[in-house]
Amino acid sequence: MIEGHKEIDAPAGVPVWDVDPYDSAILAGPTDYYAELRSKGPFAYIPRYSVLACGRYDETKEVFSDWERFVSSRGVGLQDFSLEEPWRPPSIVLEKDPPDHTRARAVIERALSTRAVRQLGESFRQDAESLIDGLLEKGVFEAVEDLAETYPTTVFPNAVGLQEGDRRRLVDYGSMVFNALGPDNEIRRDAMARGPDVVPWIMEQCQRERLKPEGFGAMIYAAAETGEITEEEAGLLVRSLLSAGVDTTVTVLGSAIWCLANNPDQFERLKADPKMALWAFEEILRYTSPVHSFCRTANLDTEVSGIKIAEGTKILCVLGSANLDEDHYPKADRFDIDRRPSDHLALGVGIHGCVGQNVARAEADAVLTAIANKVGSIELAGEPVWRPNNSVHTLDRLPVIFRGK
Ligand code: OVV
């Protein structure tokens, strides 16, 4: 066993690459690592973790979307749940395959449907406008803390129907869940150390009695009422909302500001046509890949692009690299909102594709539209600092200046 999964040999034709994808410097600045990974071929064997890494667009998409060969039920991190007990009861959507996955997915999909999310649009817009007004008054601010963390931790718990409370814990729980998918390194251990404080609080918020009668949470519990899922499953689906709904949107909003500050021409383009906000969002996703990597596990002996893959092999799907593949996106290293990438892998692909994407889009649309309408220029007020995380490519600090129009 190595990091909780079966040790494998490098398959024939796959280069051995002595790299640590979870090294803090690589996690903070992954671009060169991505390029080198793609240059190795469809796969590289990383001996330190005994995994196959893939980072070209085509193979990453193939592995990531083929749930029959490359399963999620053995965990989407380095650990193989068929060999080792996970740190928490597995998610009944993320960490399940059909047929188990299908029922849970239908319920959470309904709760987060376009219709359900559309009703939130107006309050999302109002919250975004008052947030941006406040930041314009400040002028200089910390975009991670004052914008990226503030917005989702305000609007998302309301949308779920959580009680008022210490919403900082949502960010801490997200950090645990995403870092837990990596190896047993210092980053993971630091995040997990917050568990005793955070996990019971999260589980408490997932209880039916704690949730307001309106919101995604109540909609999920409505499916327990009709017997579609059990009450316990409903609680676990609310836990999924709290696991995946905060860090991801915090990350993408921070990266959005980073992209616009570094590409003033693109910000001009957005200001000239605020309706481009949603395409800007897709390009931000492609360009920065908030979730940089997730794993799959080969559930049988199989083959991809002529490479033989043995049952039990963990495949590190490097989404951040696939989204920068020049063979798929010409001038991939350029941030260009007119690219309109509708096939990036940042939200996954196939049956496990991000079920919260309507909510993420509504949040990003509200914030980017408010910025396009109100802000004249965005400038960095210091060096951006990235925060190493085993699954999420996220900023730690982003000092910024907003000037009005
Ligand atoms: C980290 C993550 C992503 C997506 C879903 C979940 C967690 C979950 O807990 O269901």
Side-chain angles (χ1 to χ4, degrees):
M1 293 260 278
I2 182 160
E3 293 295 347
H5 67 263
K6 191 154 95 185
E7 195 161 351
I8 54 151
D9 296 322
V14 172
V16 175
W17 187 19
D18 187 18
V19 69
D20 181 2
Y22 298 98
D23 178 87
S24 286
I26 289 181
L27 292 171
T31 319
D32 293 345
Y33 151 72
Y34 290 163
E36 195 168 343
L37 173 60
R38 289 190 304 272
S39 79
K40 302 267 177 200
F43 296 95
Y45 174 76
I46 300 179
R48 187 182 176 110
Y49 300 116
S50 191
V51 296
L52 294 186
C54 67
R56 290 183 177 184
Y57 183 90
D58 291 341
E59 285 83 9
T60 306
K61 185 170 182 172
E62 178 173 342
V63 172
F64 219 57
S65 56
D66 190 338
W67 55 269
E68 292 181 277
R69 290 188 295 158
F70 302 107
V71 298
S72 290
S73 55
R74 293 168 74 165
V76 301
L78 290 180
Q79 219 188 355
D80 183 341
F81 292 0
S82 75
L83 302 176
E84 221 183 64
E85 181 100 3
W87 71 281
R88 59 171 198 169
S91 160
I92 62 170
V93 269
L94 177 75
E95 294 155 336
K96 285 279 182 283
D97 308 315
D100 297 347
H101 168 265
T102 316
R103 203 163 38 94
R105 170 85 191 197
V107 171
I108 197 166
E109 207 165 285
R110 197 178 317 128
L112 305 177
S113 69
T114 20
R115 240 186 83 203
V117 173
R118 207 182 305 124
Q119 296 180 340
L120 295 164
E122 193 42 44
S123 85
F124 277 21
R125 271 190 289 281
Q126 279 175 19
D127 282 334
E129 287 178 10
S130 56
L131 176 64
I132 300 306
D133 285 340
L135 295 174
L136 275 165
E137 251 164 63
K138 274 192 167 181
V140 186
F141 62 96
E142 206 343 286
V144 172
E145 203 177 318
D146 301 339
L147 190 160
E149 289 188 356
T150 301
Y151 188 75
T153 56
T154 307
V155 303
F156 189 68
N158 292 341
V160 173
L162 295 195
Q163 310 279 342
E164 296 299 320
D166 183 4
R167 291 170 170 189
R168 177 76 232 166
R169 289 194 168 128
L170 293 170
V171 175
D172 287 341
Y173 188 63
S175 170
M176 292 180 72
V177 171
F178 281 98
N179 279 309
L181 301 175
D184 181 22
N185 58 11
E186 203 178 318
I187 306 168
R188 188 182 194 274
R189 286 192 292 270
D190 282 354
M192 298 312 255
R194 271 165 268 167
D197 200 32
V198 170
V199 173
W201 183 84
I202 290 287
M203 295 319 288
E204 173 95 29
Q205 310 308 306
C206 297
Q207 298 308 302
R208 160 175 251 158
E209 327 64 80
R210 299 279 309 187
L211 292 160
K212 295 181 183 163
E214 262 164 57
F216 302 142
M219 289 182 69
I220 288 171
Y221 271 103
E225 204 90 339
T226 63
E228 194 176 358
I229 52 172
T230 66
E231 180 124 351
E232 194 189 339
E233 288 173 321
L236 282 171
L237 286 180
V238 176
R239 192 194 69 175
S240 286
L241 296 181
L242 304 187
S243 302
V246 178
D247 274 41
T248 46
T249 44
V250 166
T251 296
V252 80
L253 290 178
S255 294
I257 304 303
W258 179 79
C259 287
L260 296 175
N262 285 316
N263 298 277
D265 62 316
Q266 295 299 304
F267 183 41
E268 289 302 319
R269 174 82 185 88
L270 176 63
K271 279 193 294 173
D273 185 4
K275 292 215 161 42
M276 285 298 287
L278 280 174
W279 283 121
F281 175 62
E282 298 306 327
E283 176 67 349
I284 293 158
L285 285 176
R286 182 197 71 84
Y287 194 68
T288 65
S289 298
V291 174
H292 59 73
S293 12
F294 266 178
C295 294
R296 293 289 189 255
T297 314
N299 208 33
L300 73 182
D301 292 339
T302 185
E303 204 174 301
V304 172
S305 296
I307 303 296
K308 290 204 158 42
I309 298 174
E311 186 277 332
T313 300
K314 275 285 177 186
I315 305 187
L316 182 68
C317 298
V318 186
L319 307 172
S321 171
N323 282 334
L324 295 175
D325 188 341
E326 291 278 342
D327 290 339
H328 192 79
Y329 297 109
K331 301 208 173 82
D333 61 345
R334 276 193 39 201
F335 175 72
D336 176 5
I337 67 175
D338 286 305
R339 185 190 299 274
R340 304 184 184 214
S342 53
D343 61 349
H344 62 71
L345 302 181
L347 299 172
V349 54
I351 65 163
H352 289 287
C354 177
V355 76
Q357 58 185 283
N358 293 323
V359 192
R361 278 205 186 87
E363 290 185 35
D365 190 28
V367 171
L368 290 172
T369 303
I371 291 174
N373 287 329
K374 291 170 182 282
V375 179
S377 71
I378 306 176
E379 251 177 71
L380 294 179
E383 270 302 297
V385 179
W386 295 85
R387 179 189 303 167
N389 178 301
N390 289 332
S391 308
V392 183
H393 183 228
T394 194
L395 284 153
D396 188 51
R397 280 195 300 280
L398 183 67
V400 159
I401 308 172
F402 272 6
R403 291 199 180 82
K405 279 196 165 167

